[in-house]
Amino acid sequence: MRIICFWNRRGNKTDKPQSVTFEVYISRTERLTFRTGVIIEQRFWDFKTDLVKPNHPESKLHNLKISEIKEKLHKAADKLIKSGWPITADNYKKALENDHSGQTFNDYLSQQLELDSGTLKHSTYRRLKSVVAHWNKFGTYKFYQIDSNTIRAYHNYCLKTMKPSTTGKNHKVISKYLKRAIAQGLMEVNPYSSFKIPAYAIRRTFLTTEELNQIREKNIVNTRLNVVRDMFLFMCLTGLEYADLQLLKHSDIVTKEENLFIIKERTKTAEVYAIPLLTEAIEIISKYPPTPDNKDFIFPRRSNQRLNSYLVEIAALCNVEKTLTTIVARHTFATLILTKGMPIETVSHILGHSNVKTTKIYAKLITAKITADLKRLNITNL
């Protein structure tokens, strides 16, 4: 067995940065390739020592990584030779995997999630934790065991227990951590390179103006349901996510360009957003002035799950056949205000879409632009 370190393994002439790679020659017909994650230009590579030259700004970090991988590869080779097993690529991978202290991808997932936990929102952390738990139910795998067939089997397993759209979200999380494992030299090939995550159309439920009027005009005696109706209608009139509605304070309502706005940071992304208040939305807020018991938050604090259960009651009372949820309110706002002629750029800013390509456009929108659109289109209510 031979272990060789390469800069630019293909050997073609180039001035572009190339990867530093290890190749393990098992036999004349078998060899394995391991990327180090170190990518540099030729002028920084020392072909005599097979290390990064000291004049590279990150030479110490790069050389440490190269040395660690080299040591692991040699240890695995020694272990395989001493074990008496046949010298094959599969057996070498097993010896190498054991060299990682028997760490499985399952262990790695849990470890990396905990490392990320400090930078994640609580809701995001819980969602990722459920993805990890679901992978653990699927099976226990070491890195060398995960290939495109494993991912296909995981895909089929997910479809048995969750919606196709949720399956796609789970894939994105697993793919993210597999890419990280590759960057850290724990894997060679990304199994997702030969498995395309299927794109599923997400059906967004929204209310028509007629259905919204049924909810507005229904005489509801129950005080609790009246409050819930107000909260739902307010979300339909502003496009607010439920998490932001729960944290909405009277101090977040400000006057800009002769119009009342909600201006604050979005809970999910921490991006500052501006939402104009239509006439009906202002009327709803006026029902909930500050009190000695509640000087801050406008609406009562309830869990999203509890509020959605109340919305089921309201739908039944108002003869609305669609399932009402807080996300339906957000979709209703977007759909109805677009039909009124509001430019999609303005609507996207109000909704706080986080797509990187569109954020650059939306970030430039200011309250004056939103007010101008409202006045030009004479929008006072939905």
Side-chain angles (χ1 to χ4, degrees), residues 246-369:
Q246 286 286 273
L247 297 176
L248 187 63
K249 299 180 179 180
H250 290 279
S251 58
D252 296 325
I253 311 299
V254 298
T255 301
K256 291 284 185 181
E257 313 294 337
E258 301 179 356
N259 202 74
L260 284 178
F261 279 82
I262 299 171
I263 298 181
K264 63 177 300 185
E265 286 189 356
R266 196 169 296 279
T267 304
K268 188 174 181 180
T269 62
E271 294 288 334
V272 175
Y273 65 91
I275 298 178
L277 290 181
L278 303 179
T279 303
E280 186 180 355
I282 296 172
E283 291 173 355
I284 291 174
I285 287 181
S286 67
K287 296 181 184 179
Y288 302 92
T291 64
D293 295 331
N294 182 19
K295 297 180 180 179
D296 296 326
F297 300 109
I298 295 177
F299 295 105
R301 312 297 299 280
R302 290 189 176 93
S303 70
N304 191 23
Q305 184 178 10
R306 178 63 62 85
L307 194 73
N308 284 334
S309 69
Y310 294 157
L311 288 173
V312 171
E313 296 182 51
I314 291 176
L317 285 172
C318 301
N319 296 318
V320 174
E321 295 182 358
K322 295 173 182 175
T323 302
L324 298 188
T325 64
T326 55
I327 194 64
V328 168
R330 184 169 162 84
H331 293 162
T332 298
F333 167 81
T335 305
L336 294 185
I337 203 165
L338 282 171
T339 61
K340 294 283 187 178
M342 178 71 78
I344 192 169
E345 297 88 355
T346 305
V347 177
S348 295
H349 171 75
I350 293 173
L351 292 174
H353 289 165
S354 58
N355 187 294
V356 176
K357 293 181 181 179
T358 54
T359 300
K360 293 179 181 178
I361 299 173
Y362 305 146
K364 295 178 182 178
L365 289 174
I366 55 174
T367 56
K369 172 67 167 60

Side-chain angles (χ1 to χ4, degrees), residues 38-81:
V38 175
I39 301 175
I40 59 171
E41 298 172 0
Q42 181 177 349
R43 60 193 176 95
F44 292 119
W45 184 248
D46 190 330
F47 288 91
K48 292 183 179 179
T49 62
D50 289 338
L51 292 170
V52 179
K53 292 180 180 178
N55 60 338
H56 189 281
E58 297 184 7
S59 61
K60 291 183 178 179
L61 180 63
H62 287 337
N63 286 333
L64 177 62
K65 183 181 292 187
I66 292 169
S67 298
E68 287 178 347
I69 295 174
K70 184 177 182 180
E71 182 181 0
K72 289 177 181 178
L73 293 175
H74 278 287
K75 278 185 178 180
D78 291 340
K79 184 178 292 186
L80 178 57
I81 293 170

Side-chain angles (χ1 to χ4, degrees), residues 125-378:
Y125 173 75
R126 287 183 60 188
R127 181 174 61 82
L128 296 186
K129 196 168 184 178
S130 70
V131 174
V132 173
H134 194 261
W135 176 274
N136 290 337
K137 290 180 181 178
F138 167 63
T140 301
Y141 291 85
K142 293 189 176 182
F143 290 100
Y144 72 86
Q145 295 175 314
I146 302 176
D147 55 18
S148 59
N149 289 329
T150 309
I151 298 303
R152 287 189 182 91
Y154 174 65
H155 179 73
N156 293 332
Y157 176 78
C158 287
L159 288 176
K160 294 177 181 177
T161 58
M162 60 184 65
K163 296 178 181 178
S165 57
T166 308
T167 295
K169 292 178 182 179
N170 275 36
H171 275 301
K172 290 180 180 179
V173 175
I174 298 300
S175 177
K176 167 189 171 181
Y177 285 112
L178 283 174
K179 287 178 182 178
R180 185 181 296 183
I182 291 170
Q184 294 173 352
L186 299 176
M187 292 184 70
E188 178 188 352
V189 179
N190 187 347
Y192 279 96
S193 60
S194 55
F195 177 86
K196 185 176 181 180
I197 301 173
Y200 295 100
I202 300 174
R203 184 179 178 183
R204 290 181 168 86
T205 302
F206 61 90
L207 300 181
T208 63
T209 301
E210 291 74 17
E211 290 169 327
L212 199 57
N213 285 336
Q214 286 176 234
I215 296 174
R216 282 178 172 133
E217 297 166 4
K218 180 66 177 178
N219 181 26
I220 298 178
V221 179
N222 187 294
T223 303
R224 165 177 56 83
L225 292 184
N226 266 315
V227 173
V228 171
R229 173 170 60 179
D230 283 343
M231 295 169 72
F232 179 77
L233 288 174
F234 191 82
M235 285 186 282
C236 288
L237 294 161
T238 60
L240 271 180
E241 289 184 321
Y242 183 69
D244 293 316
L245 180 81
Q246 286 286 273
L247 297 176
L248 187 63
K249 299 180 179 180
H250 290 279
S251 58
D252 296 325
I253 311 299
V254 298
T255 301
K256 291 284 185 181
E257 313 294 337
E258 301 179 356
N259 202 74
L260 284 178
F261 279 82
I262 299 171
I263 298 181
K264 63 177 300 185
E265 286 189 356
R266 196 169 296 279
T267 304
K268 188 174 181 180
T269 62
E271 294 288 334
V272 175
Y273 65 91
I275 298 178
L277 290 181
L278 303 179
T279 303
E280 186 180 355
I282 296 172
E283 291 173 355
I284 291 174
I285 287 181
S286 67
K287 296 181 184 179
Y288 302 92
T291 64
D293 295 331
N294 182 19
K295 297 180 180 179
D296 296 326
F297 300 109
I298 295 177
F299 295 105
R301 312 297 299 280
R302 290 189 176 93
S303 70
N304 191 23
Q305 184 178 10
R306 178 63 62 85
L307 194 73
N308 284 334
S309 69
Y310 294 157
L311 288 173
V312 171
E313 296 182 51
I314 291 176
L317 285 172
C318 301
N319 296 318
V320 174
E321 295 182 358
K322 295 173 182 175
T323 302
L324 298 188
T325 64
T326 55
I327 194 64
V328 168
R330 184 169 162 84
H331 293 162
T332 298
F333 167 81
T335 305
L336 294 185
I337 203 165
L338 282 171
T339 61
K340 294 283 187 178
M342 178 71 78
I344 192 169
E345 297 88 355
T346 305
V347 177
S348 295
H349 171 75
I350 293 173
L351 292 174
H353 289 165
S354 58
N355 187 294
V356 176
K357 293 181 181 179
T358 54
T359 300
K360 293 179 181 178
I361 299 173
Y362 305 146
K364 295 178 182 178
L365 289 174
I366 55 174
T367 56
K369 172 67 167 60
I370 299 173
T371 297
D373 287 330
L374 287 169
K375 287 184 177 180
R376 177 175 59 84
L377 297 166
N378 194 28

Side-chain angles (χ1 to χ4, degrees), residues 108-130 132 176-177 180:
Y108 179 81
L109 271 177
S110 298
Q111 178 194 65
Q112 294 300 309
L113 178 58
E114 291 308 313
L115 289 175
D116 293 344
S117 61
T119 61
L120 300 174
K121 296 285 185 183
H122 180 65
S123 57
T124 303
Y125 173 75
R126 287 183 60 188
R127 181 174 61 82
L128 296 186
K129 196 168 184 178
S130 70
V132 173
K176 167 189 171 181
Y177 285 112
R180 185 181 296 183

